[in-house]
Amino acid sequence: MPEQAMEIPTIDFRDLEGENRSKAMEILHDACENWGFFQVQNHGVDGKLMEKVKQLVDQHYEENLKESFYQSETAKKLNKKENPSDVDWESSFFIRHRPTSNIHQIPNLPQGFSKTIDEYVAELIKLAEKLANLMCENLGLDESFIKEAFSGKEGPAVGTKVAKYPKCPEPELVRGLREHTDAGGIILLLQDDQVPGLEFLKNGEWFQIPPSRNNTIFVNIGDQVEVLTNGRYKSTLHRVMADKNGSRLSIATFYNPAGDAVITPASELLYPHSYTFGDYLQLYSATKFADKGKRFETMKELAKGSNGFHA
Protein backbone atom coordinates (compact mmCIF):
# COMPACT_ATOMS: atom_id res chain seq x y z
CA MET A 1 0.00 0.00 0.00
CA PRO A 2 1.18 3.56 -0.65
CA GLU A 3 2.46 5.50 2.31
CA GLN A 4 0.90 8.84 1.46
CA ALA A 5 -1.63 10.67 -0.65
CA MET A 6 -0.23 13.10 -3.19
CA GLU A 7 -0.96 16.72 -3.94
CA ILE A 8 -2.45 16.40 -7.40
CA PRO A 9 -1.76 19.11 -10.00
CA THR A 10 -4.91 21.22 -10.26
CA ILE A 11 -6.03 23.33 -13.19
CA ASP A 12 -8.56 26.03 -12.32
CA PHE A 13 -10.28 27.01 -15.55
CA ARG A 14 -10.99 30.48 -14.20
CA ASP A 15 -7.24 31.11 -14.23
CA LEU A 16 -7.14 30.44 -17.96
CA GLU A 17 -9.22 33.56 -18.59
CA GLY A 18 -7.19 36.09 -16.60
CA GLU A 19 -3.78 37.24 -15.51
CA ASN A 20 -2.91 33.80 -14.10
CA ARG A 21 -3.23 32.11 -17.48
CA SER A 22 0.48 31.54 -18.08
CA LYS A 23 0.87 29.95 -14.64
CA ALA A 24 -2.13 27.67 -15.23
CA MET A 25 -0.70 26.65 -18.60
CA GLU A 26 2.63 25.82 -16.92
CA ILE A 27 0.85 23.62 -14.39
CA LEU A 28 -1.00 21.82 -17.17
CA HIS A 29 2.17 21.27 -19.19
CA ASP A 30 4.08 19.93 -16.18
CA ALA A 31 1.18 17.64 -15.24
CA CYS A 32 0.99 16.17 -18.75
CA GLU A 33 4.76 15.84 -19.08
CA ASN A 34 5.72 14.55 -15.62
CA TRP A 35 2.58 13.14 -14.03
CA GLY A 36 0.20 11.88 -16.70
CA PHE A 37 -2.80 13.05 -14.70
CA PHE A 38 -4.32 16.11 -13.03
CA GLN A 39 -7.64 17.47 -11.84
CA VAL A 40 -9.73 20.36 -13.11
CA GLN A 41 -11.94 22.81 -11.23
CA ASN A 42 -14.43 25.42 -12.43
CA HIS A 43 -14.51 23.52 -15.71
CA GLY A 44 -17.99 24.57 -16.81
CA VAL A 45 -19.68 21.17 -16.42
CA ASP A 46 -22.90 21.63 -14.46
CA GLY A 47 -22.48 20.44 -10.86
CA LYS A 48 -26.13 19.44 -10.45
CA LEU A 49 -25.89 17.37 -13.62
CA MET A 50 -22.78 15.61 -12.28
CA GLU A 51 -24.61 14.75 -9.05
CA LYS A 52 -27.62 13.47 -10.96
CA VAL A 53 -25.40 11.19 -13.04
CA LYS A 54 -23.86 9.72 -9.89
CA GLN A 55 -27.28 9.25 -8.29
CA LEU A 56 -28.66 7.40 -11.33
CA VAL A 57 -25.59 5.15 -11.58
CA ASP A 58 -25.86 4.26 -7.90
CA GLN A 59 -29.57 3.56 -8.32
CA HIS A 60 -28.95 1.28 -11.30
CA TYR A 61 -26.28 -0.66 -9.42
CA GLU A 62 -28.41 -1.15 -6.30
CA GLU A 63 -31.49 -2.22 -8.26
CA ASN A 64 -29.94 -4.35 -11.01
CA LEU A 65 -26.28 -5.24 -10.53
CA LYS A 66 -25.37 -5.57 -6.84
CA GLU A 67 -27.08 -8.88 -6.10
CA SER A 68 -25.82 -10.57 -9.27
CA PHE A 69 -22.27 -9.38 -8.59
CA TYR A 70 -22.12 -11.03 -5.18
CA GLN A 71 -23.41 -14.23 -6.78
CA SER A 72 -20.79 -14.14 -9.54
CA GLU A 73 -17.89 -16.59 -9.96
CA THR A 74 -15.48 -13.85 -8.89
CA ALA A 75 -17.27 -13.44 -5.56
CA LYS A 76 -17.60 -17.20 -5.04
CA LYS A 77 -13.87 -17.72 -5.57
CA LEU A 78 -13.03 -14.99 -3.11
CA ASN A 79 -15.41 -16.42 -0.52
CA LYS A 80 -13.45 -19.68 -0.78
CA LYS A 81 -10.25 -17.70 -0.07
CA GLU A 82 -9.05 -18.37 -3.60
CA ASN A 83 -6.90 -15.69 -5.21
CA PRO A 84 -8.54 -14.74 -8.53
CA SER A 85 -5.48 -12.88 -9.85
CA ASP A 86 -6.80 -12.71 -13.40
CA VAL A 87 -10.05 -10.91 -12.57
CA ASP A 88 -11.10 -7.55 -11.18
CA TRP A 89 -13.42 -6.84 -8.25
CA GLU A 90 -15.70 -4.55 -10.20
CA SER A 91 -19.21 -4.36 -11.58
CA SER A 92 -19.14 -2.38 -14.81
CA PHE A 93 -20.64 -1.75 -18.22
CA PHE A 94 -19.64 0.42 -21.17
CA ILE A 95 -21.73 3.02 -22.96
CA ARG A 96 -20.78 4.07 -26.48
CA HIS A 97 -21.78 7.65 -27.32
CA ARG A 98 -20.00 8.56 -30.56
CA PRO A 99 -19.96 7.96 -33.43
CA THR A 100 -23.01 5.78 -32.63
CA SER A 101 -24.70 5.15 -29.30
CA ASN A 102 -25.58 1.82 -27.71
CA ILE A 103 -27.32 3.22 -24.64
CA HIS A 104 -30.76 1.99 -25.69
CA GLN A 105 -29.40 -1.57 -25.79
CA ILE A 106 -28.48 -1.52 -22.08
CA PRO A 107 -31.31 -3.09 -20.06
CA ASN A 108 -33.06 -1.79 -16.94
CA LEU A 109 -31.61 1.72 -16.88
CA PRO A 110 -33.48 4.07 -14.52
CA GLN A 111 -35.95 6.55 -15.95
CA GLY A 112 -34.11 9.61 -17.24
CA PHE A 113 -30.72 7.88 -17.34
CA SER A 114 -30.24 8.14 -21.10
CA LYS A 115 -31.19 11.82 -21.33
CA THR A 116 -29.05 12.73 -18.31
CA ILE A 117 -25.94 10.88 -19.45
CA ASP A 118 -26.26 12.34 -22.96
CA GLU A 119 -26.38 15.88 -21.55
CA TYR A 120 -23.44 15.16 -19.27
CA VAL A 121 -21.29 13.64 -22.00
CA ALA A 122 -22.02 16.52 -24.37
CA GLU A 123 -20.50 18.86 -21.77
CA LEU A 124 -17.55 16.52 -21.21
CA ILE A 125 -16.77 16.45 -24.92
CA LYS A 126 -16.49 20.24 -24.86
CA LEU A 127 -14.17 19.99 -21.86
CA ALA A 128 -12.03 17.28 -23.47
CA GLU A 129 -11.63 19.38 -26.61
CA LYS A 130 -10.72 22.45 -24.56
CA LEU A 131 -8.04 20.41 -22.83
CA ALA A 132 -6.82 19.02 -26.16
CA ASN A 133 -6.51 22.55 -27.54
CA LEU A 134 -4.59 23.71 -24.46
CA MET A 135 -2.22 20.74 -24.69
CA CYS A 136 -1.56 21.57 -28.32
CA GLU A 137 -0.91 25.19 -27.46
CA ASN A 138 1.62 24.17 -24.82
CA LEU A 139 3.41 21.97 -27.35
CA GLY A 140 3.48 24.58 -30.10
CA LEU A 141 1.07 22.62 -32.28
CA ASP A 142 -1.98 23.79 -34.17
CA GLU A 143 -4.71 23.78 -31.53
CA SER A 144 -6.85 21.34 -33.52
CA PHE A 145 -4.06 18.78 -33.96
CA ILE A 146 -5.27 16.24 -31.38
CA LYS A 147 -8.92 16.48 -32.41
CA GLU A 148 -8.03 16.07 -36.08
CA ALA A 149 -5.66 13.19 -35.31
CA PHE A 150 -8.45 11.45 -33.38
CA SER A 151 -11.03 12.00 -36.11
CA GLY A 152 -11.85 9.18 -38.46
CA LYS A 153 -14.60 9.53 -41.03
CA GLU A 154 -17.10 10.39 -38.29
CA GLY A 155 -14.98 12.30 -35.76
CA PRO A 156 -13.42 11.13 -32.48
CA ALA A 157 -14.89 8.18 -30.56
CA VAL A 158 -16.45 8.79 -27.14
CA GLY A 159 -17.55 6.23 -24.58
CA THR A 160 -18.10 5.89 -20.84
CA LYS A 161 -17.14 3.04 -18.52
CA VAL A 162 -19.59 2.98 -15.62
CA ALA A 163 -18.19 1.04 -12.66
CA LYS A 164 -18.82 0.24 -9.04
CA TYR A 165 -16.13 -1.35 -6.91
CA PRO A 166 -18.24 -3.17 -4.30
CA LYS A 167 -17.33 -3.74 -0.68
CA CYS A 168 -14.82 -6.58 -0.67
CA PRO A 169 -14.53 -9.12 2.18
CA GLU A 170 -10.91 -9.99 1.30
CA PRO A 171 -9.34 -6.89 -0.26
CA GLU A 172 -5.81 -8.25 0.15
CA LEU A 173 -6.59 -11.08 -2.30
CA VAL A 174 -7.86 -9.12 -5.29
CA ARG A 175 -7.61 -5.75 -7.02
CA GLY A 176 -10.62 -3.64 -7.82
CA LEU A 177 -8.90 -3.12 -11.17
CA ARG A 178 -5.45 -4.42 -12.07
CA GLU A 179 -2.52 -2.18 -13.06
CA HIS A 180 -2.84 -0.72 -16.56
CA THR A 181 -2.52 2.35 -18.72
CA ASP A 182 -5.50 3.53 -20.75
CA ALA A 183 -5.40 2.73 -24.46
CA GLY A 184 -7.08 5.86 -25.75
CA GLY A 185 -6.78 9.62 -25.52
CA ILE A 186 -8.09 11.92 -22.78
CA ILE A 187 -9.98 10.31 -19.89
CA LEU A 188 -12.30 12.38 -17.70
CA LEU A 189 -13.28 10.72 -14.44
CA LEU A 190 -16.26 11.51 -12.26
CA GLN A 191 -15.46 9.49 -9.15
CA ASP A 192 -16.70 8.81 -5.67
CA ASP A 193 -16.60 11.70 -3.21
CA GLN A 194 -16.24 9.44 -0.16
CA VAL A 195 -14.60 6.08 -0.91
CA PRO A 196 -10.92 5.99 -1.99
CA GLY A 197 -9.17 3.30 -4.00
CA LEU A 198 -7.67 4.85 -7.14
CA GLU A 199 -3.87 4.80 -7.21
CA PHE A 200 -1.32 6.07 -9.74
CA LEU A 201 2.33 5.13 -10.09
CA LYS A 202 4.79 8.01 -9.88
CA ASN A 203 8.55 7.76 -9.41
CA GLY A 204 8.26 4.05 -8.70
CA GLU A 205 5.73 4.44 -5.88
CA TRP A 206 1.98 3.98 -5.73
CA PHE A 207 0.12 7.05 -4.52
CA GLN A 208 -3.48 7.34 -3.44
CA ILE A 209 -5.75 9.64 -5.39
CA PRO A 210 -8.25 11.04 -2.89
CA PRO A 211 -11.99 11.06 -3.57
CA SER A 212 -13.13 13.96 -5.76
CA ARG A 213 -15.13 16.68 -4.03
CA ASN A 214 -16.57 20.06 -5.03
CA ASN A 215 -17.37 18.96 -8.59
CA THR A 216 -13.73 18.27 -9.40
CA ILE A 217 -13.08 16.14 -12.48
CA PHE A 218 -9.98 13.94 -12.54
CA VAL A 219 -8.17 13.68 -15.89
CA ASN A 220 -5.54 11.24 -17.11
CA ILE A 221 -3.71 10.79 -20.38
CA GLY A 222 -4.02 7.68 -22.54
CA ASP A 223 -1.48 5.88 -24.70
CA GLN A 224 -2.47 7.64 -27.94
CA VAL A 225 -1.69 11.10 -26.58
CA GLU A 226 1.74 9.78 -25.59
CA VAL A 227 2.24 8.53 -29.16
CA LEU A 228 0.95 11.74 -30.78
CA THR A 229 3.28 13.84 -28.62
CA ASN A 230 6.26 11.54 -29.30
CA GLY A 231 6.50 10.71 -25.60
CA ARG A 232 6.36 14.28 -24.32
CA TYR A 233 3.05 13.68 -22.55
CA LYS A 234 2.80 10.40 -20.66
CA SER A 235 0.17 7.77 -19.98
CA THR A 236 0.68 6.43 -16.46
CA LEU A 237 0.07 3.08 -14.77
CA HIS A 238 -2.87 3.12 -12.39
CA ARG A 239 -5.04 0.67 -10.49
CA VAL A 240 -8.01 0.47 -8.13
CA MET A 241 -7.65 -1.16 -4.74
CA ALA A 242 -10.53 -3.17 -3.31
CA ASP A 243 -12.04 -1.79 -0.12
CA LYS A 244 -13.56 -3.64 2.81
CA ASN A 245 -15.68 -0.75 4.07
CA GLY A 246 -16.97 1.14 1.05
CA SER A 247 -18.39 0.70 -2.44
CA ARG A 248 -16.59 3.08 -4.81
CA LEU A 249 -18.21 4.82 -7.78
CA SER A 250 -16.30 5.49 -11.02
CA ILE A 251 -17.68 7.06 -14.21
CA ALA A 252 -14.83 7.39 -16.73
CA THR A 253 -15.53 9.06 -20.08
CA PHE A 254 -13.01 8.39 -22.84
CA TYR A 255 -12.32 10.93 -25.57
CA ASN A 256 -10.56 8.57 -27.98
CA PRO A 257 -9.37 8.25 -31.54
CA ALA A 258 -11.89 6.77 -33.94
CA GLY A 259 -11.25 3.16 -34.85
CA ASP A 260 -10.11 4.19 -38.33
CA ALA A 261 -7.94 7.13 -37.16
CA VAL A 262 -4.30 6.79 -38.20
CA ILE A 263 -2.06 7.73 -35.27
CA THR A 264 1.26 9.38 -36.09
CA PRO A 265 3.44 11.57 -33.84
CA ALA A 266 3.34 15.28 -34.59
CA SER A 267 6.21 16.03 -36.96
CA GLU A 268 7.04 19.17 -34.96
CA LEU A 269 7.85 17.00 -31.93
CA LEU A 270 10.02 14.42 -33.67
CA TYR A 271 13.79 14.43 -33.51
CA PRO A 272 15.47 14.97 -36.89
CA HIS A 273 15.99 11.69 -38.73
CA SER A 274 17.11 10.10 -41.97
CA TYR A 275 20.36 12.04 -42.28
CA THR A 276 24.01 10.98 -42.23
CA PHE A 277 26.27 11.69 -39.31
CA GLY A 278 28.59 13.51 -41.73
CA ASP A 279 25.77 15.90 -42.56
CA TYR A 280 25.19 16.51 -38.86
CA LEU A 281 28.87 17.19 -38.23
CA GLN A 282 28.89 19.70 -41.06
CA LEU A 283 26.16 21.70 -39.31
CA TYR A 284 27.65 21.06 -35.87
CA SER A 285 31.00 22.59 -36.83
CA ALA A 286 29.28 25.91 -37.45
CA THR A 287 26.87 25.73 -34.50
CA LYS A 288 28.80 23.85 -31.77
CA PHE A 289 28.30 26.57 -29.19
CA ALA A 290 24.67 27.29 -30.09
CA ASP A 291 21.55 25.71 -28.60
CA LYS A 292 21.24 22.09 -29.70
CA GLY A 293 17.45 22.42 -29.97
CA LYS A 294 17.84 24.97 -32.73
CA ARG A 295 20.41 22.68 -34.38
CA PHE A 296 17.92 19.82 -34.35
CA GLU A 297 15.27 22.04 -35.92
CA THR A 298 17.70 23.09 -38.64
CA MET A 299 18.49 19.44 -39.35
CA LYS A 300 14.79 18.68 -39.71
CA GLU A 301 14.38 21.49 -42.22
CA LEU A 302 17.50 20.56 -44.16
CA ALA A 303 16.49 16.89 -44.26
CA LYS A 304 13.30 17.90 -46.09
CA GLY A 305 15.28 19.46 -48.89
CA SER A 306 17.81 18.18 -51.39
CA ASN A 307 20.93 19.97 -50.17
CA GLY A 308 22.91 16.79 -49.70
CA PHE A 309 20.70 15.60 -46.85
CA HIS A 310 18.91 12.29 -47.00
CA ALA A 311 15.16 12.56 -46.32
Side-chain angles (χ1 to χ4, degrees):
M1 290 293 292
E3 297 179 358
Q4 57 182 322
M6 63 165 57
E7 179 120 10
I8 304 168
T10 300
I11 315 302
D12 188 330
F13 264 66
R14 291 180 304 188
D15 290 340
L16 293 167
E17 304 300 326
E19 60 185 16
N20 295 323
R21 188 177 194 276
S22 58
K23 179 62 176 176
M25 291 293 283
E26 287 176 13
I27 295 171
L28 176 63
H29 185 60
D30 179 69
C32 295
E33 200 166 42
N34 298 310
W35 297 68
F37 57 92
F38 52 93
Q39 59 188 5
V40 292
Q41 298 176 339
N42 300 306
H43 38 64
V45 180
D46 184 82
K48 291 181 180 178
L49 183 60
M50 293 167 67
E51 288 302 314
K52 189 174 181 181
V53 169
K54 291 196 288 185
Q55 176 190 343
L56 288 168
V57 168
D58 278 331
Q59 179 185 340
H60 179 60
Y61 170 74
E62 293 291 334
E63 293 178 353
N64 300 286
L65 303 175
K66 183 177 180 178
E67 183 177 351
S68 61
F69 176 80
Y70 283 111
Q71 294 174 352
S72 67
E73 287 302 311
T74 297
K76 289 176 182 177
K77 286 181 180 180
L78 203 65
N79 288 334
K80 296 175 183 177
K81 307 294 184 183
E82 296 179 18
N83 187 354
S85 59
D86 60 342
V87 298
D88 303 305
W89 188 262
E90 72 169 0
S91 172
S92 65
F93 59 96
F94 195 84
I95 306 170
R96 295 192 306 273
H97 307 292
R98 295 187 182 182
T100 56
S101 173
N102 71 337
I103 196 164
H104 297 296
Q105 300 169 19
I106 300 170
N108 303 317
L109 293 175
Q111 185 176 3
F113 188 100
S114 178
K115 181 176 183 293
T116 301
I117 200 76
D118 283 349
E119 291 176 1
Y120 170 68
V121 167
E123 294 197 17
L124 279 198
I125 291 171
K126 293 177 184 176
L127 175 58
E129 292 181 346
K130 285 180 186 175
L131 287 169
N133 291 350
L134 293 170
M135 291 177 189
C136 290
E137 181 181 340
N138 267 333
L139 292 167
L141 305 174
D142 184 274
E143 72 168 17
S144 63
F145 173 77
I146 291 177
K147 181 179 179 180
E148 291 179 0
F150 281 10
S151 295
K153 294 177 181 177
E154 300 179 86
V158 181
T160 298
K161 179 185 176 183
V162 178
K164 289 284 286 190
Y165 297 94
K167 290 182 181 180
C168 181
E170 304 287 345
E172 67 280 358
L173 296 182
V174 67
R175 295 273 191 269
L177 186 61
R178 287 163 287 167
E179 294 84 351
H180 66 288
T181 61
D182 289 324
I186 298 172
I187 300 87
L188 302 105
L189 174 64
L190 176 58
Q191 65 163 344
D192 207 288
D193 59 5
Q194 299 294 327
V195 182
L198 180 62
E199 297 182 355
F200 270 71
L201 189 68
K202 179 166 172 56
N203 299 329
E205 293 185 56
W206 288 102
F207 286 89
Q208 296 174 346
I209 305 300
S212 295
R213 298 188 174 95
N214 302 319
N215 299 325
T216 297
I217 291 177
F218 185 86
V219 182
N220 68 282
I221 289 170
D223 295 345
Q224 303 316 305
V225 171
E226 180 165 337
V227 173
L228 286 176
T229 64
N230 199 38
R232 289 285 299 277
Y233 288 175
K234 304 289 194 299
S235 63
T236 306
L237 274 173
H238 53 284
R239 66 188 183 185
V240 176
M241 304 301 287
D243 192 288
K244 195 166 189 173
N245 301 311
S247 178
R248 178 177 173 271
L249 172 71
S250 171
I251 305 165
T253 298
F254 296 79
Y255 181 80
N256 282 350
D260 59 343
V262 178
I263 304 300
T264 304
S267 60
E268 296 93 330
L269 303 180
L270 292 173
Y271 280 105
H273 57 88
S274 304
Y275 59 83
T276 67
F277 183 51
D279 291 334
Y280 186 83
L281 285 177
Q282 180 181 339
L283 177 63
Y284 180 80
S285 64
T287 61
K288 179 176 181 178
F289 301 106
D291 176 65
K292 71 176 179 182
K294 294 180 179 178
R295 186 157 58 243
F296 288 165
E297 289 302 314
T298 300
M299 285 301 300
K300 284 162 66 173
E301 292 301 315
L302 291 173
K304 293 177 184 177
S306 58
N307 298 330
F309 290 79
H310 305 274

